[in-house]
Amino acid sequence: MATTSSSVLLSNPFSPPRPHHHRFTPKNQTHLTIRHHPTPNPTSILSCNSVLRCCSFRNSKFQLRTSMGDTAKKTSEDDDEDEALVVGEDSAFFDLARQKISSWLLFSLVLGVVLFVLDFAWIDNSGLGLGNAFIHAVSELSDSPEVVMLTLILIFAIVHSGLASLRDVGEKLIGERAFRVLFAGTSLPLAVSTVVYFINHRYGGLQLWQLQSVPGLHQLVWLSNFISFFFLYPSTFNLLEVAAVEKPKMHLWETGIMRITRHPQMVGQVMWCLAHTIWIGNSVAVAASLGLIGHHLFGVWNGDRRLAIRYGEAFEDVKRRTSVIPFAAILDGRQKLPKDYYKEFIRVPYLTITALTLGAYFAHPLMQAASFRLHW
């Protein structure tokens, strides 16, 4: 007869479970593991030797996993269930029933105030016009649009990545919401200046190649750009946190696009840069692409470093099951996609991204006209 035992384990994903001592060894083994998650929307998974069922406790902070039977007789089906158990968060999850009208009204108010201040203080020359002064100051460094383009990207990268690296310290000093306001209030104007300068100077510099007449190239470039926006980092979808309506958090995502690559923002930026560089074909586009890709490659290292500090062993578990290079973890067997993986993309945020991406494409003439009027 096989020796059997019964135990109940309560554990935190960031520390090993405490051992429990028992005075008896009954004949059937049952394990119940409750893992604490740092966010309020984890996916709870119940698995058995005979596959039971998956259920989500949307209002719970715990992830439950049960197994019954003799552990010496684990099957490959059990291994698949173990692979499906995630320690990270469910990316792009959006529960309409949990949304509050008051939160989205406050978000709209915050967005309106931000856009008004951005226009008055940075964009509109009849206001403070700080953006115009900033662009002219950087342009004084060189007559080369390539050098100016790289300088603008470098300034943005230092501010953006620098503040991201100081997030833990900053949030302790002034709080999560205040630090988010500081982060967005400095990064957003610099990003606008960089984008506007690129639009206005995208056909400057030295023409290196001209492929726009190649049949099918426009469609290929358009498709690449369209797909690149599906590689946005999942935190981008948490608009209430982005606007500090809800308390901002540093998330450890693991599902959805994260199964393909652990750094989707970098992959999407590379796709966008390659598509625009191939289409435009000049030295300004090359300079912009080199600067943006370099910034995002640094973000790969810096992002992993910050998540490792914040989440410890939980991040190491996610790192082992994911990859930086798209599909690498899937191809070498470290990441096993669920049978219904496509459902992780049939969600409100991705439907919204689809609509906004199509809208941005058709709004290109308006964006170009607005940028030209600034004379940056």
Side-chain angles (χ1 to χ4, degrees):
M1 299 291 292
T3 302
T4 57
S5 64
S6 176
S7 65
V8 177
L9 304 176
L10 177 61
S11 63
N12 186 295
F14 310 124
S15 60
R18 298 178 181 177
H20 294 259
H21 303 285
H22 305 277
R23 299 179 182 176
F24 60 94
T25 54
K27 294 200 169 183
N28 288 324
Q29 178 174 347
T30 302
H31 288 284
L32 171 63
T33 303
I34 304 178
R35 297 191 177 186
H36 179 267
H37 276 263
T39 58
N41 294 318
T43 302
S44 304
I45 300 177
L46 292 162
S47 61
C48 303
N49 283 352
S50 57
V51 180
L52 293 179
R53 57 193 174 94
C54 292
C55 58
S56 296
F57 299 88
R58 298 301 184 192
N59 298 320
S60 172
K61 292 184 179 180
F62 297 93
Q63 181 180 62
L64 286 80
R65 174 179 176 271
T66 63
S67 62
M68 304 175 62
D70 191 343
T71 54
K73 297 179 180 179
K74 274 189 89 172
T75 66
S76 60
E77 201 169 8
D78 297 321
D79 293 334
D80 291 339
E81 288 294 317
D82 288 341
E83 288 294 328
L85 185 64
V86 299
V87 299
E89 299 177 57
D90 190 9
S91 63
F93 173 75
F94 184 86
D95 188 353
L96 185 60
R98 296 187 62 197
Q99 304 305 307
K100 297 179 180 179
I101 295 178
S102 58
S103 295
W104 287 103
L105 288 176
L106 182 56
F107 168 80
S108 301
L109 177 62
V110 171
L111 180 62
V113 171
V114 168
L115 293 178
F116 173 79
V117 173
L118 179 66
D119 181 63
F120 175 78
W122 197 262
I123 297 176
D124 190 356
N125 291 327
S126 63
L128 297 181
L130 297 178
N132 188 57
F134 172 70
I135 290 293
H136 280 293
V138 176
S139 299
E140 289 294 322
L141 298 175
S142 174
D143 294 330
S144 168
E146 296 88 351
V147 172
V148 175
M149 188 78 254
L150 283 171
T151 303
L152 290 171
I153 294 174
L154 179 62
I155 294 172
F156 170 79
I158 291 173
V159 172
H160 187 269
S161 294
L163 286 175
S165 299
L166 295 173
R167 179 174 181 172
D168 288 343
V169 176
E171 288 182 343
K172 289 179 182 178
L173 290 175
I174 63 176
E176 291 89 343
R177 285 187 170 90
F179 187 81
R180 174 54 58 88
V181 172
L182 174 64
F183 179 81
T186 52
S187 298
L188 185 57
L190 296 176
V192 170
S193 298
T194 305
V195 171
V196 170
Y197 186 88
F198 173 75
I199 292 175
N200 287 343
H201 296 267
R202 68 192 185 281
Y203 286 114
L206 179 65
Q207 192 69 36
L208 302 175
W209 58 80
Q210 179 56 261
L211 302 176
Q212 295 183 5
S213 60
V214 174
L217 182 63
H218 180 268
Q219 291 77 5
L220 177 62
V221 167
W222 184 90
L223 183 62
S224 299
N225 285 323
F226 181 79
I227 295 175
S228 72
F229 283 95
F230 284 85
F231 282 83
L232 285 170
Y233 194 66
S235 290
T236 310
F237 304 143
N238 289 14
L239 297 180
L240 296 181
E241 288 186 24
V242 171
V245 173
E246 293 182 351
K247 185 180 292 187
K249 304 178 184 67
M250 184 185 295
H251 295 273
L252 180 63
W253 306 111
E254 191 173 359
T255 64
I257 196 67
M258 307 301 285
R259 298 183 188 273
I260 296 176
T261 170
R262 192 168 66 253
H263 291 279
Q265 194 87 7
M266 179 273 294
V267 175
Q269 187 66 75
V270 169
M271 293 177 64
W272 186 94
C273 287
L274 290 178
H276 279 77
T277 301
I278 291 172
W279 180 253
I280 297 173
N282 63 28
S283 55
V284 173
V286 171
S289 294
L290 289 176
L292 290 171
I293 292 174
H295 175 217
H296 281 76
L297 289 177
F298 172 79
V300 169
W301 171 82
N302 196 38
D304 280 355
R305 180 188 66 83
R306 293 169 55 225
L307 286 172
I309 293 173
R310 176 69 66 96
Y311 287 102
E313 186 58 34
F315 170 70
E316 296 301 326
D317 289 341
V318 173
K319 187 176 180 180
R320 280 189 288 269
R321 289 197 290 266
T322 56
S323 61
V324 176
I325 300 175
F327 302 103
I330 298 172
L331 294 176
D332 63 21
R334 290 182 289 122
Q335 174 68 239
K336 294 184 179 180
L337 298 180
K339 294 180 180 179
D340 57 352
Y341 175 57
Y342 67 94
K343 292 182 180 179
E344 295 181 3
F345 289 91
I346 305 179
R347 294 179 171 181
V348 172
Y350 285 110
L351 296 177
T352 305
I353 286 296
T354 301
L356 291 177
T357 304
L358 291 173
Y361 173 76
F362 291 109
H364 264 55
L366 297 177
M367 295 165 59
Q368 293 165 8
S371 297
F372 180 74
R373 283 198 297 269
L374 292 175
H375 301 289
W376 288 1

